Short mmCIF file of all heavy atoms in Angstrom, two decimals:
data_model
loop_
_atom_site.label_atom_id
_atom_site.label_comp_id
_atom_site.label_asym_id
_atom_site.label_seq_id
_atom_site.Cartn_x
_atom_site.Cartn_y
_atom_site.Cartn_z
N LEU A 213 113.52 132.88 98.75
CA LEU A 213 112.37 133.76 98.51
C LEU A 213 112.56 135.10 99.21
O LEU A 213 112.36 136.17 98.61
CB LEU A 213 111.09 133.06 98.99
CG LEU A 213 109.79 133.83 98.80
CD1 LEU A 213 109.56 134.13 97.33
CD2 LEU A 213 108.61 133.07 99.39
N PHE A 214 112.99 135.09 100.49
CA PHE A 214 113.19 136.35 101.20
C PHE A 214 114.37 137.13 100.62
O PHE A 214 114.37 138.36 100.60
CB PHE A 214 113.40 136.08 102.69
CG PHE A 214 112.12 135.84 103.43
CD1 PHE A 214 111.83 134.61 103.99
CD2 PHE A 214 111.20 136.86 103.59
CE1 PHE A 214 110.65 134.39 104.66
CE2 PHE A 214 110.02 136.66 104.27
CZ PHE A 214 109.73 135.41 104.81
N TRP A 215 115.37 136.40 100.11
CA TRP A 215 116.49 137.11 99.48
C TRP A 215 116.03 137.84 98.22
O TRP A 215 116.42 138.99 97.97
CB TRP A 215 117.59 136.10 99.13
CG TRP A 215 118.64 136.69 98.25
CD1 TRP A 215 119.68 137.48 98.61
CD2 TRP A 215 118.70 136.55 96.83
NE1 TRP A 215 120.41 137.86 97.50
CE2 TRP A 215 119.83 137.30 96.38
CE3 TRP A 215 117.93 135.88 95.88
CZ2 TRP A 215 120.18 137.38 95.04
CZ3 TRP A 215 118.29 135.96 94.56
CH2 TRP A 215 119.40 136.71 94.14
N ALA A 216 115.20 137.17 97.40
CA ALA A 216 114.70 137.83 96.19
C ALA A 216 113.88 139.05 96.52
O ALA A 216 113.98 140.10 95.86
CB ALA A 216 113.88 136.83 95.37
N TRP A 217 113.07 138.96 97.55
CA TRP A 217 112.28 140.13 97.95
C TRP A 217 113.17 141.23 98.51
O TRP A 217 112.91 142.41 98.33
CB TRP A 217 111.24 139.71 98.98
CG TRP A 217 110.08 138.98 98.38
CD1 TRP A 217 109.80 138.83 97.08
CD2 TRP A 217 109.07 138.28 99.10
NE1 TRP A 217 108.67 138.07 96.90
CE2 TRP A 217 108.18 137.72 98.14
CE3 TRP A 217 108.81 138.05 100.43
CZ2 TRP A 217 107.08 136.97 98.48
CZ3 TRP A 217 107.70 137.30 100.78
CH2 TRP A 217 106.84 136.76 99.82
N ALA A 218 114.21 140.82 99.23
CA ALA A 218 115.07 141.81 99.87
C ALA A 218 115.82 142.65 98.83
O ALA A 218 116.01 143.86 99.01
CB ALA A 218 116.08 141.12 100.80
N VAL A 219 116.26 142.04 97.77
CA VAL A 219 117.02 142.78 96.76
C VAL A 219 116.10 143.41 95.71
O VAL A 219 116.60 144.02 94.75
CB VAL A 219 118.03 141.85 96.07
CG1 VAL A 219 119.02 141.28 97.07
CG2 VAL A 219 117.33 140.72 95.31
N GLY A 220 114.80 143.27 95.87
CA GLY A 220 113.86 143.86 94.90
C GLY A 220 113.95 143.22 93.54
O GLY A 220 113.85 143.91 92.52
N ALA A 221 114.12 141.91 93.51
CA ALA A 221 114.29 141.20 92.25
C ALA A 221 113.00 141.24 91.44
O ALA A 221 111.90 141.27 91.99
CB ALA A 221 114.70 139.76 92.52
N PRO A 222 113.12 141.22 90.11
CA PRO A 222 111.90 141.18 89.27
C PRO A 222 111.20 139.82 89.39
O PRO A 222 111.72 138.87 89.98
CB PRO A 222 112.45 141.42 87.86
CG PRO A 222 113.87 140.99 87.92
CD PRO A 222 114.35 141.29 89.31
N ALA A 223 110.02 139.79 88.79
CA ALA A 223 109.20 138.58 88.92
C ALA A 223 109.90 137.32 88.40
O ALA A 223 109.78 136.26 89.01
CB ALA A 223 107.86 138.78 88.21
N PRO A 224 110.64 137.36 87.26
CA PRO A 224 111.31 136.13 86.83
C PRO A 224 112.29 135.59 87.85
O PRO A 224 112.40 134.37 88.03
CB PRO A 224 112.02 136.56 85.54
CG PRO A 224 111.23 137.71 85.02
CD PRO A 224 110.78 138.43 86.24
#
Side-chain angles (χ1 to χ4, degrees):
L213 181 60
F214 280 114
W215 168 80
W217 284 350
V219 300

